[in-house]
């Protein structure tokens, strides 16, 4: 009997069991049981793209297009950017609600990314009629939208407006799910604002698009460091010098990561391989610093003479080189290698490039990652938000919203004393902040109805928590 009970418990906790059961009920047109079982499968494994996709298709059949489209978009942004059938679902649902403009955009994306896909024939016909009768034509305009939002994000970062940068980057990725540069920059900014869970999601998607993407692999080391996965971090750093550095940016990206993590021997070997292909003062100087840090004083002095001959008339750089190669400064240089590396970028006046800007990446490691424990009086807000969790939200939803509330409380006065029933307005505001930050299409009116409060109360809570609208 005991073994039978264990088997029953295994089934109860097996998402695949509920998923298969849900599909069987769907085939038998038992919609309520199908929905219940598919929901249970997603509750047990919220980040499973196959479950999400089938639930989105099921919601489409139930005439719930907005919920379905949130799931389709979530898959493309956070989990599998190459699951192009999501564009078909998005396009059909947009057409159902009368948004021909969006429908044409999604169909264009499907044909652009998967011209020979399963639904390409149907989409070609639908696109033709949309253009014929609705005068709607995108002509791959989404590529320009993605590039435009990426540029806006870079501008906002230079202005230290990280929240607007994140918003633009999500728009860029949403417009073009295969834009690796936008995904990598989004990963970096999410790391910077300590949204490590989401940063991990976005970083993993780049690996699906191109496993040898240099920037993505470098960003992955910072995620492993934050997660305290020392063995995986060491292995990842071991592999970095063997990635194909196809251009100057890739080379500097790897070099910055190696020196930040004090992989000085690997840095020297790596730069030696590529320096011959780049007559570049910064790259020569990085190699010289590597020689100095690792005690190769003769090589450092020789490279200093070569560099002075190649790049004459740079007194500040010459002075820095003389300081670095002086054997009397070996201990000081070794102990302050990262500071010297950052100083070098400043002396050479290297333009800010978020792919390898050393002060940015050093800041990721130096930031205090401890969080103040959330006072118990705020737990009703958390519980209220968790109890109304959407099936598409991350398996780490609870951690994410706690982090958001901690962030809100750190930059504003505490909300007023909670009265009976009042936590709902703050719970709704917290979910609003979650959706806004992670580019989830959820309107205020929908949230107000969900929490059975007025939009006015929701706005009051949003203002109280200092959530940007």
């Amino acid at each position: 009997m005991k073994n039978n009970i264990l088997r029953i418990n295994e089934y109860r906790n097996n998402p695949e069991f509920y998923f298969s059961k849900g599909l069987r009920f769907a085939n038998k047109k038992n919609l309520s049981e199908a929905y219940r079982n598919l929901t249970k499968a997603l509750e047990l494994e919220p980040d499973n793209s196959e479950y999400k996709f089938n639930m989105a298709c099921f919601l489409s059949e139930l005439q719930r297009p907005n919920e379905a489209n949130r799931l389709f978009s979530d898959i493309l942004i956070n989990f599998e950017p190459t699951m192009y059938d999501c564009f078909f679902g998005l396009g059909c649902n947009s057409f159902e609600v009368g948004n021909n403009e969006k429908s044409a955009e999604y169909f264009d994306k499907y044909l652009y990314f998967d011209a020979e896909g399963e639904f390409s024939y149907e989409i070609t016909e639908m696109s033709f009629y949309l253009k014929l009768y609705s005068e709607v034509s995108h002509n791959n305009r989404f590529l320009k939208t993605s590039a435009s939002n990426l540029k806006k994000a870079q501008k906002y970062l230079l202005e230290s407006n990280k929240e607007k940068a994140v918003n633009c980057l999500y728009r860029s990725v949403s417009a073009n799910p295969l834009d690796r540069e936008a995904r990598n920059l989004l990963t970096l900014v999410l790391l910077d604002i300590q949204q490590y869970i989401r940063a991990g999601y976005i970083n993993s998607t780049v690996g699906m698009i191109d496993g040898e993407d240099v920037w993505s692999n470098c960003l992955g080391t910072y995620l492993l460091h934050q997660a305290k996965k020392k063995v995986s971090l060491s292995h990842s750093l071991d592999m970095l010098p063997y990635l194909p550095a196809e251009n100057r940016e890739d080379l500097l990206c790897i070099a910055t990561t190696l020196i930040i993590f004090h992989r000085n021997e690997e840095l020297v070997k790596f730069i030696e391989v590529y320096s011959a292909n780049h007559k570049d003062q910064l790259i020569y100087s990085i190699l010289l610093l590597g020689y100095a840090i690792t005690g190769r004083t003769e090589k450092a002095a020789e490279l200093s003479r070569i560099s002075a001959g190649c790049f004459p008339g740079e007194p500040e750089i010459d002075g820095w080189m003389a300081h670095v190669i002086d054997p009397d400064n070996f201990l000081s240089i070794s102990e302050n290698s990262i500071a010297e590396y950052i100083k070098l970028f400043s002396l050479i006046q290297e333009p800010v490039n978020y792919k390898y800007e050393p002060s940015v990446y050093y800041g990721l490691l130096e930031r205090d990652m401890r969080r103040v424990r959330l006072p118990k009086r705020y737990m009703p807000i958390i519980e209220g938000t968790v109890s109304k969790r959407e099936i598409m939200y991350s398996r780490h939803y609870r951690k994410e919203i706690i982090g958001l509330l901690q962030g809100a409380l750190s930059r504003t006065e505490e909300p007023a004393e909670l009265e009976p029933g009042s936590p709902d307005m703050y719970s709704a505001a917290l979910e609003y902040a979650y959706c806004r930050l992670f580019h989830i299409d959820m309107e205020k009116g929908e949230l107000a109805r969900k929490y059975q409060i007025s939009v006015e109360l929701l706005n009051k809570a949003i203002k109280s928590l200092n959530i940007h609208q």
Side-chain angles (χ1 to χ4, degrees):
M1 177 63 75
K2 186 176 180 181
N3 288 336
N4 288 335
I5 291 171
L6 285 174
R7 285 201 195 99
I8 291 169
N9 285 333
E10 285 175 7
Y11 276 118
R12 284 175 177 166
N13 295 302
N14 184 348
E16 187 64 30
F17 167 74
Y18 290 103
F19 177 67
S20 300
K21 192 176 176 184
L23 293 182
R24 286 199 302 275
F25 277 120
N27 289 330
K28 293 176 182 178
K29 306 300 181 184
N30 188 337
L31 301 185
S32 60
E33 282 300 306
Y35 180 74
R36 187 177 69 82
N37 281 279
L38 289 174
T39 300
K40 182 66 176 178
L42 268 174
E43 285 174 354
L44 291 170
E45 199 172 331
D47 292 351
N48 186 304
S49 295
E50 184 185 3
Y51 297 173
K52 283 176 179 284
F53 181 81
N54 279 276
M55 175 60 93
C57 294
F58 186 68
L59 289 170
S60 300
E61 290 291 324
L62 293 178
Q63 301 298 308
R64 292 162 66 175
N66 292 333
E67 294 171 75
N69 278 5
R70 282 198 283 264
L71 277 167
F72 285 134
S73 295
D74 182 44
I75 293 168
L76 289 167
I77 291 173
N78 294 302
F79 296 98
E80 295 210 26
T82 58
M83 193 179 276
Y84 304 128
D85 287 352
C86 290
F87 290 128
F88 179 65
L90 285 162
C92 291
N93 285 329
S94 298
F95 182 77
E96 285 294 322
V97 299
N99 193 338
N100 292 347
E101 184 81 16
K102 271 292 180 186
S103 183
E105 177 186 337
Y106 290 129
F107 289 154
D108 275 0
K109 287 181 182 180
Y110 185 97
L111 293 175
Y112 179 84
F113 290 117
D114 197 14
E116 303 298 322
E118 182 180 354
F119 302 105
S120 57
Y121 177 77
E122 291 90 336
I123 286 178
T124 301
E125 282 198 330
M126 293 173 80
S127 294
F128 173 78
Y129 286 110
L130 276 172
K131 293 170 184 177
L132 183 63
Y133 295 108
S134 302
E135 297 182 356
V136 171
S137 178
H138 275 271
N139 296 321
N140 301 334
R141 198 167 65 210
F142 61 88
L143 296 174
K144 292 181 180 178
T145 300
S146 179
S148 172
N149 276 287
L150 176 57
K151 286 183 180 178
K152 286 180 185 177
Q154 291 165 337
K155 176 177 173 288
Y156 283 130
L157 284 177
L158 290 173
E159 297 169 356
S160 299
N161 193 333
K162 295 171 187 175
E163 184 168 343
K164 284 191 176 181
V166 167
N167 189 265
C168 285
L169 288 167
Y170 268 115
R171 289 179 185 277
S172 179
V173 168
S174 179
N176 179 8
L178 298 192
D179 190 328
R180 287 181 290 151
E181 186 178 359
R183 285 187 177 276
N184 283 325
L185 187 56
L186 178 56
T187 302
L188 173 60
V189 184
L190 289 170
L191 273 166
D192 195 32
I193 62 174
Q194 299 185 356
Q195 293 294 338
Y196 301 115
I197 292 168
R198 289 287 158 163
Y201 284 150
I202 300 298
N203 182 247
S204 66
T205 60
V206 181
M208 295 176 188
I209 300 167
D210 181 2
E212 290 190 330
D213 184 277
V214 167
W215 194 2
S216 171
N217 278 276
C218 288
L219 288 164
T221 62
Y222 297 90
L223 282 161
L224 291 169
H225 169 79
Q226 187 279 327
K228 296 181 172 58
K229 296 181 178 179
K230 294 182 179 179
V231 175
S232 296
L233 172 60
S234 179
H235 175 71
S236 182
L237 289 168
D238 286 343
M239 296 303 295
L240 279 188
Y242 299 99
L243 291 173
E246 296 177 353
N247 51 54
R248 182 178 186 270
E249 287 189 349
D250 284 349
L251 187 151
L252 291 172
C253 186
I254 293 173
T256 293
T257 303
L258 290 174
I259 201 161
I260 292 290
F261 283 99
H262 301 288
R263 290 296 193 102
N264 301 319
E265 291 289 345
E266 291 92 333
L267 172 70
V268 169
K269 292 176 183 176
F270 171 70
I271 298 291
E272 280 180 335
V273 170
Y274 286 94
S275 60
N277 300 327
H278 297 273
K279 190 177 180 182
D280 186 299
Q281 189 173 26
L282 177 57
I283 293 171
Y284 278 26
S285 300
I286 291 172
L287 180 56
L288 184 145
L289 177 61
Y291 284 148
I293 295 168
T294 55
R296 296 172 171 87
T297 53
E298 289 185 6
K299 276 187 169 287
E302 180 185 354
L303 186 58
S304 176
R305 289 191 294 272
I306 295 171
S307 183
C310 293
F311 310 102
E314 298 285 351
E316 287 189 336
I317 300 296
D318 292 344
W320 177 83
M321 287 183 175
H323 170 73
V324 167
I325 65 176
D326 187 339
D328 293 337
N329 297 327
F330 169 71
L331 188 59
S332 172
I333 297 297
S334 298
E335 291 177 350
N336 299 285
S337 57
I338 298 174
E340 292 293 341
Y341 188 77
I342 293 171
K343 182 180 179 181
L344 172 60
F345 276 68
S346 176
L347 288 173
I348 289 184
Q349 298 181 340
E350 178 74 11
V352 173
N353 187 316
Y354 290 101
K355 197 168 184 177
Y356 54 78
E357 177 63 39
S359 57
V360 171
Y361 289 95
Y362 185 56
L364 296 181
L365 263 63
E366 288 300 290
R367 183 175 290 108
D368 184 0
M369 290 182 281
R370 293 174 298 176
R371 286 194 180 273
V372 178
R373 193 177 184 84
L374 193 66
K376 285 186 178 180
R377 64 181 179 278
Y378 295 114
M379 292 315 295
I381 299 174
I382 299 297
E383 298 306 329
T385 310
V386 170
S387 68
K388 290 181 171 59
R389 174 187 175 276
E390 298 288 324
I391 54 174
M392 63 159 291
Y393 292 164
S394 146
R395 65 190 175 91
H396 302 288
Y397 182 57
R398 185 185 183 88
K399 286 182 181 179
E400 288 182 307
I401 60 169
I402 287 174
L404 285 175
L405 185 54
Q406 287 170 325
L409 295 176
S410 71
R411 63 177 181 267
T412 188
E413 295 181 5
E414 295 181 1
E417 284 297 316
L418 300 179
E419 300 172 2
S422 67
D424 285 341
M425 60 191 277
Y426 295 109
S427 297
L430 195 55
E431 185 171 350
Y432 173 80
Y434 180 86
C435 292
R436 193 183 184 286
L437 181 60
F438 299 130
H439 196 66
I440 299 169
D441 185 17
M442 183 81 76
E443 299 295 331
K444 285 183 180 178
E446 191 174 352
L447 284 169
R449 289 190 295 275
K450 180 178 176 180
Y451 287 87
Q452 298 183 326
I453 60 172
S454 66
V455 174
E456 289 75 20
L457 273 180
L458 175 57
N459 284 328
K460 181 180 178 182
I462 289 170
K463 185 177 180 181
S464 179
L465 291 177
N466 196 22
I467 295 168
H468 299 292
Q469 301 190 54

